[in-house]
Amino acid sequence: MNTISSSIARIVAICVKEVTQLRRDRLTFAMVVAIPLMQLLMFGYSINTKVRHIPIAVCDHSASSFSRQLIEDVQASQVVTVTTRAGNPNQLHTMVQNGVVSAGLYIPIDSERRYYSDNGEAIAQLIVDGSDTVMASALKALGHFPFLPGGVSSFTHNPGDISVTLLYNPAQRSELNTVPGLLGLILTMTMVMFTAVAIVRERERGNMELLIATPVKTAELMIGKLIPYVVIGMIQMTIILWLGYLLFQVPVAGSWWLLIGSCLVFIFANLGLGLVLSTVAPNQMGAMQLFIFIFLPSILLSGFMFPYAGMPEVAQKIAEALPMTHFMRIVRGIILRDAQFEGIQTDLLFLALFFVGTLTLAILRFRQRLD
Amino acid sequence: MSDPVIKVEGLTKKFGSFTAVNDVSMEIRRGQVHGFVGPNGSGKTTTIRMMCGLMIPTSGMVTVLGMSVPEQAKLVRCHVGYMTQRFSLYEDMTVRENMAFLCRVHGFGHKRRIERIDEVLEQFDLVPLADRRVGPMSGGQKRRIALGAAILTEPELLILDEPTSEVDPNTRREMWGHFFDLAQAGSTLLVTTHLMDEAERCHRLTVMNQGEVVADGSVDRLKEELPATVLEVSGGEVTPLVNDISTLEGVLAVNQVGTVIRVLTRDASITNQIAMAIPQSFSISEVPVTIEDVFVSATRDGSRA
């Protein structure tokens, strides 16, 4: 009993020291709040895979009621907005080339005749700047645009069409996908980074000789260093979810307790990973470099940016080893689909084991000696 | 009272093919200020680190306060105050915060912590600095703080690695005052230094050179037993004579101190040879041995100091 209470006293001592140092370190302190804020705003507003109001130019050689209706109907899709007029197809091409517009619509003089002829001729041509793939695919869809000249009866039904129904996020708002993903990204970034320098900093600044000459045990040191960052992680989680709701109306469909619990497990997993890096790195700079090795695949392979299912098998295998991949599944499940514990338990178990594994490794790797 | 607080036998530490400490044996007795001197890189800090269990010896035996190190290093750490050569307190925390951290780590309760910190701050004249961050302070202030931190837990044994480097003469004098007060109060101190006036003050001395103990004993005995005689040459411009004298057979070391040359020789019989080598206007006389002479004669082979 006595050993446990003195052990707790030492853990508290480390915690108090860490918090004192954190308070002094303005830059780190600013990162705690500024990173969630900045990332949320930047990603939330800029990652937008749904394209609207692409500027296009029109060259209308038909100049008939038919062509005018075509232009209006194309704009009614809201995908494009006609911003410029061009006199001839060459001018149209130059505008696309120079980036003045993203596409050019050319309506030939016999457009209406083509429409009513039976040989399937195209009625107009859309010259698309293909350099942005997301935009290009949105514009390509315009090729199959259901155009009915003079038609009030727009509601035609082609039996051959496939009717698509979108479950969860029916409006295809990318923020709904991005904000939960950001929770994972920001927690990975800050948690791993903070702890990656935590131990190596003591070594670099010369405090290690003092620290290991005290009765503090390795496990006490590690746990004492983790606890303040767990609190920081929870603060960041609150900021992200609250702002996500306030700015992007991202609701939480599932259980709050499950969400908070999962975040906590994920925070621990990241802190454990950071501690391992800290015992490997020769100095703080080295720790940051190692951190980049973890962070890049976490962004690119975890499913945050690109769909996991679309990745080659090797990339998927690597992704499975990253805590972020598992957290992506958990958090999108809970926030967007109201996933239940049964649905996320394997990913949660992975994160929990990951934490136990990394913490053990960090404790084993850390030597309370100078040689 | 005569039981050794630290007992080291056949201690060796190798880093790859380099032997930093070679077969060192020494004893430090209770209630004494034991000086540990030697040139830079002679293995003092490595020996100290092995005593504290911060490094594992390649071979040999260390017993501190009756406990064997490194086996019982964790227990030893509760009873030893260690002041590192490089300042190792947290520079981004205040003096009081650093001390509070160490008290907490040693399991002091709230009340005892506050009282003891105030006591130490008072004792080392640190009250005006107490709530300032340690980082920007001067070398001397940092040393005083580090010493205060080392004695915070009232350890039986204090190991101080170059406690007075970067310290002005007044603070140095003051710190040595503290050392003797602490010894008087029953603590044992092991102090490394390469300042000879400090070595002279110690109860006992161990001199290390190139990883080996080359002299060990009380200051007076070391001086008495020095197998050499010191001659002083004076009476004019002595600088041009240094070379002439140092090439003579039987001369161990030549050192100019102001307007005189101190010549360390095997015995006084060389006096005549010196007299012949220099102009007659100079006088030669035998003078008492200082601890510096002990140091120089013990460490002059391949000395890196």
Side-chain angles (χ1 to χ4, degrees):
Chain A
M1 194 56 216
N2 195 23
T3 53
I4 292 174
S5 66
S6 59
S7 183
I8 288 171
R10 289 192 288 266
I11 291 174
V12 169
I14 300 277
C15 284
V16 171
K17 172 192 90 70
E18 287 294 314
V19 171
T20 310
Q21 289 186 299
L22 258 171
R23 271 197 354 243
R24 301 280 151 77
D25 187 357
R26 295 251 171 95
L27 214 57
T28 302
F29 205 60
M31 270 181 79
V32 172
V33 180
I35 286 210
L37 214 68
M38 277 169 55
Q39 301 238 19
L40 197 71
L41 294 177
M42 290 191 305
F43 279 103
Y45 284 117
S46 67
I47 296 193
N48 201 343
T49 48
K50 188 155 187 215
V51 188
R52 280 169 185 275
H53 302 295
I54 302 168
I56 66 163
V58 170
C59 170
D60 183 7
H61 280 178
S62 171
S64 59
S65 65
F66 175 85
S67 67
R68 278 190 294 277
Q69 197 189 339
L70 178 63
I71 293 166
E72 284 312 310
D73 274 21
V74 166
Q75 286 194 92
S77 72
Q78 289 190 18
V79 175
V80 295
T81 305
V82 176
T83 55
T84 327
R85 296 270 168 175
N88 57 59
N90 281 340
Q91 216 181 335
L92 213 54
H93 191 271
T94 315
M95 282 176 171
V96 173
Q97 195 175 21
N98 294 341
V100 179
V101 290
S102 299
L105 179 65
Y106 173 60
I107 305 171
I109 195 157
D110 58 345
S111 167
E112 192 168 5
R113 182 196 60 76
R114 284 166 181 240
Y115 183 81
Y116 291 110
S117 77
D118 289 333
N119 50 15
E121 277 180 295
I123 55 167
Q125 190 187 15
L126 193 66
I127 310 163
V128 176
D129 171 11
S131 56
D132 184 325
T133 51
V134 176
M135 207 164 61
S137 67
L139 287 168
K140 255 173 91 178
L142 277 182
H144 308 293
F145 177 70
F147 177 58
L148 289 168
V152 189
S153 56
S154 311
F155 294 100
T156 53
H157 181 69
N158 292 342
D161 282 358
I162 297 168
S163 129
V164 179
T165 313
L166 291 170
L167 287 172
Y168 324 117
N169 197 6
Q172 286 293 280
R173 284 167 54 212
S174 51
E175 312 92 88
L176 286 196
N177 201 33
T178 309
V179 172
L182 274 178
L183 194 57
L185 185 78
I186 292 165
L187 288 177
T188 300
M189 187 168 173
T190 48
M191 294 295 104
V192 179
M193 193 158 65
F194 287 158
T195 41
V197 297
I199 293 193
V200 79
R201 184 178 54 203
E202 303 260 358
R203 218 172 265 283
E204 210 172 319
R205 291 190 186 168
N207 308 125
M208 194 51 92
E209 196 170 356
L210 172 92
L211 200 55
I212 61 181
T214 65
V216 175
K217 297 190 179 76
T218 308
E220 293 162 356
L221 175 67
M222 299 282 173
I223 293 166
K225 279 192 172 281
L226 287 191
I227 292 170
Y229 294 106
V230 173
V231 176
I232 286 176
M234 296 313 273
I235 293 172
Q236 291 191 320
M237 183 199 80
T238 313
I239 294 176
I240 298 161
L241 290 177
W242 181 66
L243 277 182
Y245 178 74
L246 212 68
L247 299 175
F248 304 108
Q249 290 78 49
V250 178
V252 175
S255 149
W256 273 97
W257 290 117
L258 203 54
L259 179 62
I260 292 168
S262 308
C263 283
L264 209 56
V265 178
F266 180 59
I267 288 168
F268 273 113
N270 278 327
L271 293 175
L273 179 61
L275 283 182
V276 171
L277 295 188
S278 205
T279 58
V280 176
N283 48 42
Q284 291 193 67
M285 184 65 197
M288 291 313 293
Q289 287 166 331
L290 283 173
F291 162 71
I292 299 291
F293 275 109
I294 302 289
F295 189 58
L296 274 184
S298 289
I299 299 181
L300 299 175
L301 302 181
S302 64
F304 170 69
M305 283 212 152
F306 310 111
Y308 175 83
M311 286 187 288
E313 206 178 326
V314 184
Q316 286 184 345
K317 289 242 166 71
I318 298 170
E320 280 300 321
L322 297 166
M324 173 117 163
T325 311
H326 297 271
F327 184 68
M328 278 300 131
R329 289 186 204 136
I330 295 173
V331 77
R332 281 181 176 155
I334 297 174
I335 293 185
L336 302 177
R337 298 196 309 267
D338 184 17
Q340 302 300 304
F341 178 73
E342 293 72 36
I344 59 169
Q345 58 184 356
T346 36
D347 288 312
L348 264 183
L349 185 68
F350 174 87
L351 291 180
L353 289 177
F354 190 89
F355 168 62
V356 174
T358 45
L359 186 67
T360 312
L361 189 63
I363 290 172
L364 289 179
R365 274 202 57 88
F366 180 77
R367 305 222 163 273
Q368 272 199 316
R369 293 203 304 267
L370 295 167
D371 51 353
Chain B
M1 281 303 274
S2 62
D3 58 322
V5 172
I6 302 179
K7 193 170 159 59
V8 170
E9 269 175 63
L11 192 65
T12 300
K13 176 71 187 178
K14 289 181 179 166
F15 296 105
S17 61
F18 173 68
T19 307
V21 173
N22 189 17
D23 195 22
V24 164
S25 298
M26 61 195 281
E27 268 186 22
I28 288 134
R29 292 184 198 153
R30 193 171 292 276
Q32 290 203 327
V33 177
H34 190 113
F36 199 15
V37 295
N40 291 325
S42 58
K44 302 187 299 285
T45 299
T46 307
T47 306
I48 281 180
R49 284 176 173 174
M50 286 190 281
M51 289 171 180
C52 297
L54 303 179
M55 279 186 179
I56 304 296
T58 309
S59 62
M61 197 202 76
V62 183
T63 315
V64 177
L65 299 164
M67 294 172 272
S68 68
V69 177
E71 292 79 11
Q72 290 173 283
K74 281 190 179 134
L75 208 56
V76 169
R77 280 172 200 158
C78 299
H79 301 279
V80 177
Y82 175 39
M83 179 171 162
T84 54
Q85 190 172 349
R86 180 181 168 185
F87 185 72
S88 58
L89 290 168
Y90 293 96
E91 303 217 340
D92 48 358
M93 303 207 295
T94 66
V95 179
R96 204 187 289 276
E97 284 164 351
N98 268 297
M99 290 186 172
F101 168 65
L102 290 171
C103 284
R104 282 197 188 95
V105 159
H106 280 94
F108 281 33
H110 181 77
K111 189 162 171 276
R112 187 168 160 222
R113 188 172 75 223
I114 307 273
E115 281 172 6
R116 179 62 185 152
I117 291 173
D118 282 339
E119 206 175 290
V120 171
L121 290 174
E122 194 76 47
Q123 191 181 348
F124 288 89
D125 285 328
L126 292 170
V127 177
L129 302 176
D131 295 304
R132 280 168 48 191
R133 281 186 217 179
V134 174
M137 291 185 187
S138 73
Q141 287 170 329
K142 282 183 182 175
R143 290 279 148 190
R144 256 160 56 209
I145 294 162
L147 180 62
I151 65 146
L152 206 52
T153 55
E154 298 172 89
E156 287 173 63
L157 170 66
L158 269 169
I159 298 182
L160 311 174
D161 198 356
E162 294 191 13
T164 57
S165 63
E166 307 173 53
V167 167
D168 65 76
N170 282 333
T171 313
R172 212 143 65 78
R173 189 188 299 255
E174 204 180 289
M175 284 178 83
W176 274 89
H178 288 307
F179 297 166
F180 285 105
D181 289 346
L182 289 163
Q184 193 67 46
S187 294
T188 308
L189 290 88
L190 176 63
V191 184
T192 76
T193 180
H194 35 227
L195 295 171
M196 289 308 123
D197 64 310
E198 291 188 351
E200 197 112 30
R201 293 164 178 242
C202 297
H203 294 119
R204 279 176 73 88
L205 271 186
T206 300
V207 184
M208 269 189 94
N209 190 37
Q210 294 193 318
E212 293 179 19
V213 172
V214 288
D216 186 35
S218 75
V219 172
D220 290 339
R221 229 189 73 205
L222 285 173
K223 283 189 204 168
E224 273 167 32
E225 292 179 358
L226 181 71
T229 306
V230 180
L231 301 172
E232 217 170 70
V233 178
S234 61
E237 185 55 57
V238 290
T239 312
L241 307 179
V242 172
N243 271 334
D244 296 335
I245 298 173
S246 56
T247 51
L248 289 174
E249 179 95 12
V251 170
L252 301 173
V254 179
N255 185 26
Q256 183 178 352
V257 183
T259 57
V260 301
I261 300 178
R262 289 175 65 85
V263 185
L264 197 63
T265 65
R266 282 214 191 90
D267 52 63
S269 65
I270 200 171
T271 314
N272 289 336
Q273 285 182 49
I274 296 174
M276 281 189 282
I278 59 174
Q280 287 198 335
S281 56
F282 289 92
S283 65
I284 305 169
S285 57
E286 197 176 326
V287 291
V289 171
T290 65
I291 207 71
E292 179 160 0
D293 299 319
V294 174
F295 182 79
V296 168
S297 80
T299 62
R300 95 205 131 83
D301 303 315
S303 161
R304 279 162 281 176

